[in-house]
Amino acid sequence: MTSERLPAQLAFLREADKLKGILRHSRVTFAARRENDAEHSWHLALAAMILAEYAEPGLDLLRTIEMVLIHDLVEIDAGDTIAYASDAAKAAQAERERAAAERLFGLLPADQGSRLRALFGEFEQRRTREARFARALDRVQPILQNLHSHGAAWRANGVTAQMVRDLNEPIIRDASPALWQRMEGLIAEAEANGCFPAPDAP
Amino acid sequence: MTSERLPAQLAFLREADKLKGILRHSRVTFAARRENDAEHSWHLALAAMILAEYAEPGLDLLRTIEMVLIHDLVEIDAGDTIAYASDAAKAAQAERERAAAERLFGLLPADQGSRLRALFGEFEQRRTREARFARALDRVQPILQNLHSHGAAWRANGVTAQMVRDLNEPIIRDASPALWQRMEGLIAEAEANGCFPAPDAP
């Protein structure tokens, strides 16, 4: 059994290495470079560990962490789309991600491939408390990265404080009112500190 | 409570961002660059998920993954040491890592800081099945990265196939004979394919 399964599993782990080359719009905080999806996924998993106490009671932390570890793998084929993209761009992206999930999770032994496809679907659908918390963290982490790099990606992409609030409040507050309350405070501070693009003249 | 804990937890997650800037000797497989500790930690956590069936029975996968997610954080202060360093270099590194664990985990609320220090100690001591498996993965992953980059880091550092076997067999076989058997086969293949430095003339 090992002799068939293990080579397939190692081939999947080799393919997964490419996640380190998928660049995001957010920056690392200590240098002038964008972060990649593998770094982001690690940071999310660490955040899940550290912030689990703010999730809905009864959270299965292992499944939450597994979800964040694999949630961006589809971007190896489908690429990254900024959270503030148009609905049409997001729909096209979702279709590319479905095909990518088939190919990538299809490298694994069938039982594991099915499990990871289901885990990815759970993350996308946001119906379980684990998926709600994972998706909230996936919004919290880039906000924090942006705050720590003085809004570089927001200003580069014309993203205003109100856009950040409108897009993220439903996802973050739904999973954790305490986390959203803190984010709201930090966004207001960032606004006062000029981290967002200057508003158009009235 | 939230009002005291959450800012400390976010400060820790911000400091942890620096792990993305700690370069390892191993390379990513798709480009001519070294990988960093955050990418490596993500890849290890994914490997723990995918390869858990080869661990000793009864593995607590959540604790294993938590261990690999935090095991390299101390390198933010202490830097990376190649696995093939001298004993003296490794002892000095261990001392720097102890101080780093105090500072970094000390950023967290006391209960979480203690828990993460204990988790890091567990990884270092390799006495539990979770620590044995985590440490084995921490050896398997760089071997795979080296194999996939045709031994670039081995040749750059004069690391022979025998050195790879001597250093890694005790750690990997102890946690998973099946994984070691596969690694042994891959190392032999790599030797045949010229992935190691040319031997000295007799």
Side-chain angles (χ1 to χ4, degrees):
Chain A
M1 203 54 177
T2 296
S3 65
E4 296 164 18
R5 290 177 67 85
L6 188 47
Q9 291 159 327
L10 296 183
F12 171 79
L13 289 173
R14 176 177 185 164
E15 188 69 15
D17 194 59
K18 295 180 183 162
L19 198 65
K20 301 169 188 172
I22 308 297
L23 292 185
R24 298 168 51 79
H25 290 272
S26 46
R27 263 75 163 172
V28 298
T29 61
F30 53 86
R33 70 162 175 90
R34 290 159 69 184
E35 65 174 353
N36 66 55
D37 272 345
E39 298 168 324
H40 160 71
S41 299
W42 165 78
H43 216 161
L44 276 191
L46 186 70
M49 269 178 78
I50 299 298
L51 303 176
E53 66 196 78
Y54 306 105
E56 297 162 66
L59 185 82
D60 179 338
L61 180 57
L62 175 59
R63 208 165 82 248
T64 307
I65 291 178
E66 289 188 300
M67 226 179 271
V68 305
L69 289 173
I70 62 123
H71 82 288
D72 267 342
L73 280 173
V74 295
E75 296 192 356
I76 287 175
D77 289 352
D80 181 46
T81 296
I82 192 164
Y84 303 89
S86 70
D87 287 346
K90 283 181 183 170
Q93 176 73 0
E95 189 44 47
R96 286 195 302 273
E97 292 188 353
R98 264 189 293 277
E102 284 310 307
R103 184 185 78 78
L104 285 159
F105 300 136
L107 296 171
L108 285 165
D111 59 321
Q112 280 192 320
S114 302
R115 182 166 180 271
L116 264 58
R117 260 189 297 266
L119 210 52
F120 176 64
E122 184 180 344
F123 177 85
E124 291 290 300
Q125 287 160 31
R126 212 168 60 84
R127 286 198 198 118
T128 62
R129 64 166 81 78
E130 287 74 22
R132 281 191 288 275
F133 192 57
R135 290 281 299 274
L137 294 174
D138 194 35
R139 294 302 179 89
V140 165
Q141 198 262 354
I143 294 176
L144 293 173
Q145 293 300 109
N146 260 308
L147 289 169
H148 299 154
S149 36
H150 201 69
W154 288 326
R155 281 176 288 111
N157 295 284
V159 175
T160 65
Q162 198 51 47
M163 286 164 75
V164 173
R165 288 189 193 99
D166 290 348
L167 186 82
N168 295 297
E169 177 170 358
I171 306 280
I172 300 174
R173 187 196 283 276
D174 191 32
S176 176
L179 278 185
W180 175 249
Q181 194 188 8
R182 182 74 190 162
M183 288 303 114
E184 223 176 7
L186 293 173
I187 293 165
E189 261 179 51
E191 208 173 5
N193 292 333
C195 292
F196 290 98
D200 294 333
Chain B
M1 204 53 178
T2 296
S3 66
E4 296 164 18
R5 289 177 68 84
L6 189 47
Q9 290 159 328
L10 297 182
F12 170 79
L13 289 173
R14 176 178 185 163
E15 188 68 15
D17 194 59
K18 294 180 183 161
L19 198 66
K20 301 169 188 172
I22 308 296
L23 293 185
R24 299 169 51 79
H25 290 272
S26 46
R27 263 76 163 172
V28 298
T29 62
F30 53 85
R33 72 160 174 91
R34 290 160 68 184
E35 64 174 355
N36 66 55
D37 272 345
E39 297 168 324
H40 159 72
S41 298
W42 165 77
H43 216 161
L44 275 191
L46 186 69
M49 271 178 76
I50 299 298
L51 303 177
E53 67 196 79
Y54 306 104
E56 298 162 64
L59 185 82
D60 179 339
L61 181 57
L62 175 58
R63 210 166 80 249
T64 307
I65 290 178
E66 289 187 301
M67 226 179 273
V68 305
L69 289 172
I70 63 122
H71 83 288
D72 267 342
L73 281 172
V74 294
E75 297 192 357
I76 287 174
D77 289 352
D80 180 47
T81 295
I82 191 164
Y84 303 89
S86 71
D87 287 347
K90 283 182 184 170
Q93 175 74 359
E95 190 44 48
R96 285 196 300 275
E97 292 187 352
R98 264 188 293 276
E102 284 311 305
R103 184 185 79 79
L104 285 159
F105 300 136
L107 296 172
L108 285 165
D111 59 320
Q112 280 191 319
S114 303
R115 184 168 179 270
L116 265 58
R117 259 189 297 267
L119 210 51
F120 175 65
E122 183 180 344
F123 177 84
E124 291 290 299
Q125 287 159 31
R126 212 168 61 84
R127 286 199 197 115
T128 61
R129 62 166 81 80
E130 287 73 23
R132 279 191 290 274
F133 192 58
R135 289 283 298 275
L137 294 174
D138 195 34
R139 294 304 179 88
V140 164
Q141 198 262 354
I143 295 176
L144 292 173
Q145 293 300 109
N146 260 308
L147 289 170
H148 299 152
S149 35
H150 201 67
W154 287 327
R155 281 177 288 109
N157 294 285
V159 175
T160 66
Q162 198 51 48
M163 287 165 74
V164 174
R165 288 189 192 98
D166 290 347
L167 187 82
N168 295 297
E169 177 171 357
I171 308 279
I172 300 174
R173 188 198 282 277
D174 192 32
S176 176
L179 278 184
W180 175 247
Q181 193 188 9
R182 181 76 190 161
M183 288 302 115
E184 223 177 7
L186 292 173
I187 293 165
E189 261 179 51
E191 208 174 4
N193 292 332
C195 292
F196 289 98
D200 293 335

